[in-house]
């Protein structure tokens, strides 16, 4: 699907074909473009500008891409959520049977959002960067 990646597609396919007695972990998919959308929110405008500068200007010219990639990941981990994102995610968690109403409040939501940002940041790990570069894939 254009909304989510191969891993998610494979998990869905596997759930449909495996016998019921073989369980798979519960999960929800955060669609492609979610990070970019949240970066457009007012609360993240300055951060978005910093991330864009690192990706478009600093990374291509960097003598030490590992250091620049680390800066990008660090910036992504600073993204602020919005009430709308939290509401959408909590509704999805409940719909996917990942939680019960009210279960992901306070620290538990912050932990879940931190994990989501970690996934977003992983796009900029060394392995992903060098593999994309070798394959000629533009990472912007």
């Amino acid at each position: 699907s254009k909304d989510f990646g191969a891993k998610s597609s494979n998990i869905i396919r596997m759930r449909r074909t495996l016998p019921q007695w073989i369980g798979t972990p519960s999960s929800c998919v955060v669609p492609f473009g979610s990070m970019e959308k949240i970066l457009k929110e007012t609360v993240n405008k300055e951060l978005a500008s910093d991330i864009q500068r690192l990706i478009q200007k600093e990374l291509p010219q960097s003598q030490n891409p590992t250091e620049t990639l680390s800066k990008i990941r660090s910036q992504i981990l600073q993204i602020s959520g919005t009430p709308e994102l939290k509401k959408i995610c909590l509704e999805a968690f409940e719909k996917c049977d990942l939680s019960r109403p009210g279960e992901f409040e306070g620290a538990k939501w912050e932990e879940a959002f931190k994990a989501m940002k970690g996934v977003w940041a992983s796009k900029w790990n060394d392995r992903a960067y060098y593999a994309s570069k070798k394959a000629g894939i533009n990472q912007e």
Side-chain angles (χ1 to χ4, degrees):
S1 168
K2 65 181 179 176
D3 293 330
F4 49 89
K7 183 177 179 182
S8 297
S9 295
N10 290 337
I11 289 172
I12 291 168
R13 191 175 315 108
M14 191 172 63
R15 281 188 183 141
R16 290 180 182 152
T17 58
L18 287 173
Q20 261 190 323
W21 59 272
I22 298 176
T24 57
S26 296
S27 61
C28 279
V29 174
V30 177
F32 283 147
S34 296
M35 181 184 82
E36 291 75 9
K37 183 175 183 197
I38 197 89
L39 279 171
K40 290 179 182 174
E41 296 290 335
T42 304
V43 68
N44 291 311
K45 289 272 188 194
E46 189 174 320
L47 193 59
S49 178
D50 290 344
I51 292 169
Q52 185 174 3
R53 178 189 52 77
L54 286 166
I55 293 168
Q56 293 179 347
K57 292 190 171 55
E58 193 170 318
L59 187 59
Q61 301 172 5
S62 180
Q63 297 298 319
N64 186 356
T66 296
E67 183 179 315
T68 307
L69 291 166
S70 178
K71 288 179 189 177
I72 294 168
R73 290 190 305 271
S74 179
Q75 292 290 78
I76 290 170
L77 293 174
Q78 301 305 312
I79 293 173
S80 295
T82 63
E84 179 189 10
L85 175 71
K86 181 178 179 181
K87 179 180 181 288
I88 290 168
C89 287
L90 295 180
E91 288 172 357
F93 292 168
E94 290 172 23
K95 193 174 186 178
C96 296
D97 291 327
L98 290 176
S99 71
R100 293 176 296 285
E103 186 177 349
F104 271 88
E105 293 300 325
K108 201 160 182 185
W109 162 250
E110 291 303 321
E111 187 179 323
F113 186 53
K114 183 179 178 183
M116 189 182 309
K117 293 186 290 185
V119 171
W120 293 340
S122 72
K123 174 182 176 182
W124 300 101
N125 69 39
D126 292 3
R127 192 179 118 246
Y129 171 75
Y130 287 112
S132 296
K133 188 173 180 172
K134 183 178 179 180
I137 298 170
N138 183 355
Q139 288 191 301
E140 290 182 41

